[in-house]
Structure formats: C-alpha cells, structure tokens
C-alpha cells in the first residue's frame, strides 16, 4: 500500500491480503498472519485543514470497534489506548499507521478465525467466541465505517472522534501500566484523553500525566 500511496492512488482504496508473509505490528513486532483472518490497508490523503494525522489512529479504532460490534453485538469489546481493540480483555486486533508524503496508510489486522500465543500478551479471535465471519464480508462493513469516520474527523474535527472513542474504551479509572519509549514504566489510572488524543494517566499521588507515546497494559 505504501507503493500505491506514492503512485497517487486515491483516498479510500483498500488492499486486502488473504495472508501475509511479513506482517508487522507496532515497533516492528511480528504480526502472525494465517489465512482466515482479516488483513487490510487503506489510505487517507491529507489536506491542510485536517486534524493532526496521528489522530487517525483513534479514527481507525472507533471504526473498527463499531464494525466488530456488528458481528459480535454482545461481546465485551473495548479500545485500549491508542488503538488496540480488546475482547474480554484480550487483544483481538492491531492497527498500524504509516506516513508517506501526503498520505497516511492505515493497516488493520483482525483475528477473525485464529489468534496467536503471545508471551505476556493475551490474544483472542472471534472464532474462539463462536463468531464466524468471512474476511470479505468483514471488509465491506469496515470500509463503510472507516469512510464515515474519516469524513466526520475531517468535517467536524477531533471532538466527535474523541467522544466516541471514550464511549468505546475501557472505563475511566481503569488501572494501567504504561511503558514509555525510554523503557521506564509508570502505573496509574486511566483519566481519559487529552484534547489531541493523548493518554491522560492519573498517578497515585494525584497529578495527571499526559502521554503521547507508550505501550499500555491493563493491570
């Protein structure tokens, strides 16, 4: 998709793979990619009046969670900052954003049929909860939701995305461990999102720390 973005491919085009040989997650982690799961990418062409490009992570997680709720309406789905979608507290999907020139490529992987064994990270699939959905059907619904939320992000700004993200996230007050880029770790309570989508973490002694980059774990 990066090559297509550089060649001038229009916004909203999707590229979907049946499986991947070199799937990647955040920070270069390997993303296992067996057949039966969803692996897709789309792109957004940035405009001067758009909100900050990094906030597309929140847009994508809202669209993805709404899509998952179509197929599993009774599931305990929740977003973990910034864009992991959890089912019963286990990782169900991953989202990766990559910037190239005037475009942001949004890559999404969802454990529809299979889930990996991740050291220290619990994972799950829809199939493990008895939900059977084909990647093709899932792709159609996801494309519609992403297009809708990109339009709202662009037309109404971050406030509407932030509000919906908070509705779909784990509750305010959830205990978190935050591992920062320097590999230090901090515990605290989830205190919502800052105006720009950054994580607000309430520390044990009371103050709120605003975090823009970190790995986040539920305690």
């Amino acid at each position: 998709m990066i090559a297509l973005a550089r060649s001038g491919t229009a916004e909203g085009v999707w590229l979907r793979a049946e499986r991947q040989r070199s799937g990647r997650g955040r920070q270069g982690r390997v993303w296992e990619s067996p057949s039966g799961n969803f692996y897709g990418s789309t792109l957004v062409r940035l405009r001067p009046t758009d909100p900050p490009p990094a906030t597309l992570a929140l847009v994508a997680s809202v669209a993805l969670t709404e899509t998952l709720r179509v197929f599993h309406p009774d599931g305990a789905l929740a977003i973990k900052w910034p864009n992991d979608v959890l089912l019963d507290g286990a990782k169900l999907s991953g989202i990766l954003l990559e910037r190239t020139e005037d475009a942001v490529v949004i890559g999404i992987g969802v454990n529809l049929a299979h889930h990996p064994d991740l050291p220290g990270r619990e994972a799950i699939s829809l199939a493990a909860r008895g939900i059977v959905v084909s990647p093709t059907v899932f792709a159609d619904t996801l494309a519609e939701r992403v297009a809708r939320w990109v339009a709202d992000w662009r037309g109404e700004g971050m406030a509407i995305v932030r509000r919906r993200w908070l509705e779909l996230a784990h509750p305010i007050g959830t205990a978190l461990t935050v591992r920062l880029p320097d590999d230090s770790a901090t515990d605290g309570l989830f205190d919502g999102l800052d105006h720009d989508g950054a994580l607000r973490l309430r520390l044990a002694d009371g103050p709120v720390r605003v975090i823009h980059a970190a790995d986040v774990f539920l305690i």
Side-chain angles (χ1 to χ4, degrees), residues 9 27 39 75 86 90 112 121 141 143 145 156 177 180 183 192 196:
T9 298
Q27 298 182 354
Y39 316 106
L86 309 180
L112 298 180
R121 292 170 181 257
T141 304
R145 295 294 171 123
E156 301 188 41
T177 292
L180 300 169
D183 212 32
D196 62 354

Side-chain angles (χ1 to χ4, degrees), residues 115-139:
H115 62 276
D117 292 324
L118 300 173
R121 292 170 181 257
E122 188 178 358
I124 197 170
S125 64
L126 287 186
R129 290 293 179 264
I131 308 298
V132 178
V133 55
S134 77
T136 302
V137 171
F138 189 86

Side-chain angles (χ1 to χ4, degrees), residues 15-187:
L15 182 66
R16 186 174 69 83
E18 291 296 330
R19 61 182 304 166
Q20 299 178 114
R21 293 182 179 177
S22 302
R24 290 185 295 117
R26 291 181 64 241
Q27 298 182 354
R29 296 189 184 100
V30 174
W31 181 271
E32 293 188 24
S33 309
S35 180
N37 289 344
F38 173 82
Y39 316 106
S41 298
T42 189
L43 62 89
V44 175
R45 291 285 176 193
L46 299 173
R47 303 174 187 176
T49 55
D50 284 344
T55 60
L56 283 167
L58 307 183
V59 173
S61 59
V62 165
L64 176 55
T65 305
E66 289 191 347
T67 301
L68 288 162
R69 292 177 92 180
V70 170
F71 299 102
H72 195 12
D74 300 323
L77 293 158
I79 305 173
K80 176 174 68 68
W81 190 86
N83 54 27
D84 282 344
V85 181
L86 309 180
L87 174 59
D88 296 327
K91 185 165 180 173
L92 179 61
S93 66
I95 296 172
L96 181 66
L97 268 60
E98 295 183 275
R99 174 79 181 267
T100 178
E101 299 173 352
D102 71 336
V104 173
V105 175
I106 303 172
I108 298 176
V110 184
N111 298 330
L112 298 180
H114 314 280
H115 62 276
D117 292 324
L118 300 173
R121 292 170 181 257
E122 188 178 358
I124 197 170
S125 64
L126 287 186
R129 290 293 179 264
I131 308 298
V132 178
V133 55
S134 77
T136 302
V137 171
F138 189 86
D140 290 340
T141 304
L142 179 60
E144 184 274 325
R145 295 294 171 123
V146 169
R148 170 195 157 186
W149 277 104
V150 167
D152 286 347
W153 169 82
R154 177 168 282 146
E156 301 188 41
M158 261 300 295
I160 187 173
V161 177
R162 179 180 177 275
R163 182 166 61 248
R164 184 58 172 152
W165 191 99
L166 288 168
E167 290 173 353
L168 296 172
H170 49 70
I172 299 292
T174 298
L176 304 175
T177 292
V178 174
R179 183 163 293 125
L180 300 169
D182 64 4
D183 212 32
S184 64
T186 303
D187 291 346

